[in-house]
Amino acid sequence: MNANPNNSVCILGHNITYSRSPLIHNHWIAEYGVDSKYGICDLPAEKLSDFLSTIRNGKSAGCNVTTPYKETVIEHLDVVDDVASAIGSVNTIYRRDGLLRGTSTDGAGYIGHLEAMHPGWQLKGSKVLILGAGGAARSIAAALVQRGCSAIYIANRTLEKARDIAGLHPNTIIPVAWDDLQSTTGAVDLLVNTTSLGMVGRQPLLCPLETTRSDCIVSDIVYAPLETELLARARGLGRPVLDGLGMLLHQAVPGFQLWFGIQPAVTQELRTLVEQDLLSHG
């Protein structure tokens, strides 16, 4: 099948040859018989405006956005939804009614993976500890607030960044000093690492898991390696875990639906495909 060039999509960023998004979306494009293709748009900042004009003009169905443009693309968009506005970050762009629109699917992707792997687990009323205060932490915290979590603790080495996220919903989000982790881990139902610590080539994440409750879910949004040292330690302590690859897969679902009107399924076949690629290429 020859793809329709006006229905093409891509991941927009710079120095992003590592991206697995083409693997995920092209799998769905083939599975659902969509007349499209998904590529990598690695562009310098000065070409952003011209590229986004091609989506507004109907020459592309849209794009995902990754580093370093998740914030800077906002000024080029006509409409940014409430989720993306609150966190100041966009990872999905699409066209609707002639307007260029942006949203963020990271938070929804995290929760989608959590609910798929731990069905029946109650977010409403739960207490969560998020490690890190970057864009992913903002997205996940905002999504958890929407789902009714009673307390969301944000721990970061720079406390001011944690306080900034707390401003999203000060009645629920609580900044925590990194040195106070040990006293916080025992009080939560879910622990989420959003830092790059533990990623391939980075320092390990040192977190006092021994003080977590036996039923506390320990999760990591890092997906290279597939099982981080944090998750391996949690398994060793008998804690339920949640890896980062599932979030990557689930956050891709809303974009595909916005572009093509099809809600794709995150299947074991797709997960195995991406796992094999990660194991082959790192």
Side-chain angles (χ1 to χ4, degrees):
M1 177 180 68
N2 294 322
N4 179 355
N6 291 340
N7 210 29
S8 63
V9 282
C10 70
I11 177 117
L12 169 65
H14 193 43
N15 297 325
I16 54 167
T17 54
Y18 61 85
S19 175
R20 266 74 189 192
S21 291
L23 190 63
I24 296 168
H25 286 285
N26 283 321
H27 173 83
W28 285 333
I29 284 169
E31 181 177 2
Y32 295 101
V34 177
D35 185 14
S36 182
K37 65 179 180 180
Y38 188 108
I40 291 178
C41 298
D42 195 315
L43 299 176
E46 59 267 23
K47 293 189 176 181
L48 269 183
S49 181
D50 288 344
F51 169 76
L52 293 172
S53 292
T54 64
I55 302 175
R56 183 182 283 107
N57 296 335
K59 296 179 180 178
S60 169
C63 69
N64 288 128
V65 185
T66 190
T67 181
Y69 299 136
K70 284 188 172 185
E71 287 109 26
T72 55
V73 294
I74 291 176
E75 65 186 82
H76 300 280
L77 304 179
D78 302 313
V79 179
V80 177
D81 70 8
D82 292 343
V83 173
S85 293
I87 64 176
S89 175
V90 161
N91 77 343
T92 303
I93 294 174
Y94 62 104
R95 186 183 65 259
R96 197 73 82 240
D97 302 324
L99 299 177
L100 202 58
R101 301 170 182 263
T103 188
S104 175
T105 66
D106 284 337
Y110 178 82
I111 289 177
H113 179 40
L114 174 63
E115 292 180 335
M117 298 305 295
H118 296 279
W121 193 81
Q122 290 296 317
L123 275 168
K124 188 173 183 179
S126 64
K127 296 180 179 180
V128 183
L129 170 61
I130 297 177
L131 306 179
R138 294 179 73 90
S139 300
I140 292 171
L144 291 172
V145 167
Q146 288 185 333
R147 296 302 296 270
C149 291
S150 63
I152 301 166
Y153 302 96
I154 306 287
N156 195 64
R157 293 195 183 279
T158 305
L159 187 57
E160 192 56 39
K161 291 184 178 179
R163 288 174 176 154
D164 183 53
I165 295 180
L168 292 173
H169 206 285
N171 293 330
T172 304
I173 304 176
I174 304 158
V176 174
W178 196 265
D179 291 342
D180 293 335
L181 273 183
Q182 188 157 351
S183 61
T184 308
T185 52
V188 298
D189 308 292
L190 171 66
L191 185 152
V192 189
N193 175 41
T194 70
T195 75
S196 59
L197 295 174
M199 188 181 291
V200 171
R202 298 298 302 270
Q203 293 179 337
L205 172 65
L206 301 177
C207 179
L209 293 180
E210 293 77 12
T211 54
T212 57
R213 298 201 312 263
S214 61
D215 60 349
C216 176
I217 297 175
V218 176
S219 68
D220 201 328
I221 71 167
V222 170
Y223 59 85
L226 285 168
E227 178 161 271
T228 62
E229 184 178 343
L230 178 73
L231 296 185
R233 287 175 53 217
R235 286 187 196 276
L237 292 167
R239 306 296 189 261
V241 300
L242 191 71
D243 68 19
L245 179 54
M247 175 179 166
L248 176 70
L249 301 176
H250 282 272
Q251 64 81 31
V253 170
F256 196 90
Q257 187 171 18
L258 287 168
W259 300 325
F260 306 121
I262 298 168
Q263 183 173 351
V266 175
T267 60
Q268 184 58 49
E269 180 185 7
L270 174 60
R271 183 182 171 93
T272 300
L273 180 69
V274 181
E275 280 182 356
Q276 290 174 344
D277 184 72
L278 286 167
L279 292 171
S280 299
H281 301 100

